Amino acid sequence: AKYALCATCHGQNGEGMAALKSPALAGQTADYMIRQLQNFKHGIRGADPAKDMAGAQMAPMAKMLFGSAFSIHLAKSIS
């Protein structure tokens, strides 16, 4: 349910989707996922679609998710 937004691109079990260039979330640490969400939110990742098209696709989602207690809970529950 709460993971449904992520599962759309990262798979029902967090396995990732090669066709979308979405990496696996399963097996990643919560700290890693939180750091990546921070990087997207602050424009460290995904700011230049020419260099990071997959990141550019993820950036709006991360900006919407990150910063809430939900994003930290989500990262911990996926890892």
Side-chain angles (χ1 to χ4, degrees):
K2 290 183 178 180
Y3 177 68
L5 183 63
C6 304
T8 302
C9 296
H10 293 280
Q12 289 299 315
N13 297 307
E15 71 276 14
M17 291 188 179
L20 297 177
K21 297 184 179 171
S22 301
L25 299 179
Q28 299 292 348
T29 67
D31 288 338
Y32 173 81
M33 287 190 280
I34 291 166
R35 184 171 57 252
Q36 293 307 309
L37 288 171
Q38 287 175 324
N39 288 344
F40 285 118
K41 182 170 183 163
H42 298 297
I44 296 167
R45 290 210 48 205
D48 185 350
K51 294 181 182 177
D52 185 10
M53 178 57 82
Q57 292 173 322
M58 178 62 192
M61 304 306 287
K63 287 177 182 176
M64 182 176 65
L65 284 174
F66 186 74
S68 65
F70 169 71
S71 66
I72 294 168
H73 171 74
L74 182 63
K76 288 181 179 180
S77 67
I78 293 171
S79 64

